[in-house]
């Protein structure tokens, strides 16, 4: 008989919040640094951590023990697990930080995410994806949870350039009906950003067995699924605090949508004009 845990082990943010007031000033400095550089912990050693925070190595080790970790390696392993799960992580100390550099750090992180996203795309791969989007009989965009708004926004852009663009899953509907009939002339654009539902892996397997082509867009945690798709585009979600940033993903969606429009400029312009006339005829949008 399967048993269930009644409570999850507290993550590092909860542990720091619970003990922050009791930490020494030096320990608080190390704790704040860990949380503010959560995504960069892999490049630090315990010695580095002591040096950049201006404390002794024994202070760092003492903090780890107080938080319930045997070593800095255990802290880094814990951090990787949390980031892979997409778990928001913030503490009172981090939220209260007012160093005047927040905007600069946010901008730097967003620029780095965008640089990594676009820098990893080979021009010939991008052109092949645009050609597939242009020539496909049907485009099916699939997204769950945090991926759903991206898929929905992408569809809204694409239907202004071409027809036969659908979104799945529809609210309170299943996926199976949407997958039936997909053929070699169809393209599925699958968004796979972290904290995916359990059925995601099964969906990838199902799509791999179908004759349609598949473009997978996601953060690094979806890379293990890439080998079963035709194309894979990675968008980092790193942010300076708890919640993931989807700015690079939205930028990529914009780039792809505009690329498709330019791929079929004459048809796209005619369709946009027709849509605009319908907007006016139905009086749907405010002027």
């Amino acid at each position: 008989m399967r048993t269930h845990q009644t409570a999850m082990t507290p993550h590092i943010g909860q542990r720091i919040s619970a003990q922050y007031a009791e930490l020494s000033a030096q320990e608080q400095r190390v704790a704040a640094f860990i949380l503010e550089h959560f995504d960069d912990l892999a490049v630090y050693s315990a010695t580095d951590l002591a040096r950049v925070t201006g404390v002794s190595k024994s202070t760092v080790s003492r903090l780890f023990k107080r938080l319930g970790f045997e070593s800095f390696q255990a802290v880094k392993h814990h951090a990787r697990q949390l980031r892979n799960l997409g778990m928001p992580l913030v503490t009172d100390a981090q939220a209260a930080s007012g160093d005047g550099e927040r905007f600069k750090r946010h901008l730097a992180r967003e620029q780095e995410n965008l640089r990594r996203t676009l820098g990893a795309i080979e021009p010939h791969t991008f052109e092949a994806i645009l050609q597939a989007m242009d020539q496909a009989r049907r485009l099916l965009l699939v997204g769950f949870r945090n991926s759903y708004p991206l898929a929905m926004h992408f569809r809204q852009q694409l239907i202004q350039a071409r027809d036969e663009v659908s979104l799945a899953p529809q609210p309170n509907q299943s996926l199976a009906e949407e997958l039936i009939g997909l053929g070699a002339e169809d393209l599925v654009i699958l968004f796979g950003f972290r904290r995916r539902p359990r059925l995601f892996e099964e969906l990838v397997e199902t799509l791999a067995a179908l004759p349609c082509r598949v473009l997978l867009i996601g953060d690094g945690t979806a890379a293990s699924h890439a080998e079963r798709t035709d194309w894979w585009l990675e968008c980092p979600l790193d942010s300076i605090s708890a919640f993931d940033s989807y700015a690079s993903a939205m930028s990529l969606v914009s780039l792809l949508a505009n690329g498709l429009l330019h791929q079929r400029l004459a048809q796209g312009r005619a369709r946009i004009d027709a849509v605009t006339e319908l907007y006016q005829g139905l009086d749907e949008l405010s002027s």
Side-chain angles (χ1 to χ4, degrees):
M1 180 177 179
R2 183 178 296 176
T3 59
H4 299 274
Q5 285 185 302
T6 57
M8 293 182 63
T9 302
H11 61 66
I12 190 170
Q14 293 170 323
R15 301 184 200 189
I16 290 176
S17 289
Q19 301 187 49
Y20 192 78
E22 285 74 43
L23 298 178
S24 68
Q26 290 183 324
E27 290 171 337
Q28 287 180 351
R29 192 154 66 243
V30 179
F33 183 89
I34 289 173
L35 292 173
E36 289 170 6
H37 299 81
F38 199 65
D39 294 320
D40 305 321
L41 288 184
V43 303
Y44 291 97
S45 66
T47 302
D48 293 331
L49 198 59
R51 175 177 52 79
V52 298
T53 56
V55 304
S56 67
K57 192 172 178 180
S58 61
T59 298
V60 174
S61 298
R62 186 166 59 250
L63 174 64
F64 296 156
K65 293 293 192 300
R66 292 190 63 166
L67 297 177
F69 297 99
E70 289 298 318
S71 65
F72 189 36
Q73 288 300 320
V75 175
K76 292 197 284 189
H77 177 70
H78 177 71
R80 284 195 299 270
Q81 287 181 315
L82 292 183
R83 295 308 294 165
N84 287 343
L85 289 171
M87 182 177 293
L89 181 62
V90 70
T91 68
D92 293 340
Q94 188 182 28
S97 175
D99 56 8
E101 295 294 313
R102 181 173 299 163
F103 293 153
K104 292 181 181 178
R105 290 189 292 118
H106 176 74
L107 176 60
R109 182 57 57 88
E110 296 291 0
Q111 289 175 327
E112 175 63 12
N113 287 347
L114 190 58
R115 185 195 64 78
R116 288 167 56 192
T117 297
L118 301 182
I121 303 175
E122 296 289 344
H124 64 87
T125 298
F126 188 75
E127 292 303 320
I129 291 171
L130 291 183
Q131 186 173 23
M133 291 170 57
D134 179 30
Q135 297 179 354
R137 177 189 65 172
R138 175 189 174 201
L139 294 179
L140 176 63
L141 279 59
V142 181
F144 305 93
R145 293 172 53 81
N146 291 345
S147 294
Y148 190 81
L150 291 166
M152 183 167 59
H153 176 70
F154 199 15
R155 176 184 178 273
Q156 183 59 31
Q157 301 302 303
L158 294 178
I159 59 174
Q160 298 182 67
R162 58 158 293 162
D163 57 7
E164 294 297 328
V165 183
S166 53
L167 176 67
Q170 293 293 326
N172 299 316
Q173 299 297 313
S174 58
L175 268 174
E177 297 90 342
E178 303 292 343
L179 303 183
I180 291 295
L182 286 172
E185 63 273 34
D186 299 318
L187 173 65
V188 175
I189 301 177
L190 177 61
F191 289 86
F193 290 95
R194 58 192 173 208
R195 307 203 88 172
R196 298 174 290 275
R198 291 183 181 276
L199 63 81
F200 187 85
E201 185 168 359
E202 188 65 33
L203 173 60
V204 173
E205 294 285 355
T206 299
L207 291 173
L210 293 175
C212 60
R213 287 180 291 180
V214 179
L215 164 62
L216 174 61
I217 300 174
D219 65 285
T221 65
S224 60
H225 302 291
E227 63 182 17
R228 286 165 289 178
T229 66
D230 296 274
W231 299 284
W232 155 242
L233 299 178
E234 181 175 345
C235 301
L237 305 179
D238 301 339
S239 72
I240 63 170
S241 189
F243 297 116
D244 289 335
S245 170
Y246 288 83
S248 65
M250 290 296 285
S251 180
L252 177 61
V253 162
S254 174
L255 185 65
L256 287 168
N258 280 291
L260 176 64
L261 179 59
H262 287 280
Q263 188 86 1
R264 46 165 57 212
L265 196 55
Q267 306 100 304
R269 281 174 173 166
R271 185 175 175 85
I272 289 173
D273 289 343
V275 169
T276 301
E277 287 183 12
L278 280 176
Y279 282 154
Q280 295 170 347
L282 294 171
D283 196 24
E284 283 191 300
L285 302 179
S286 61
S287 57

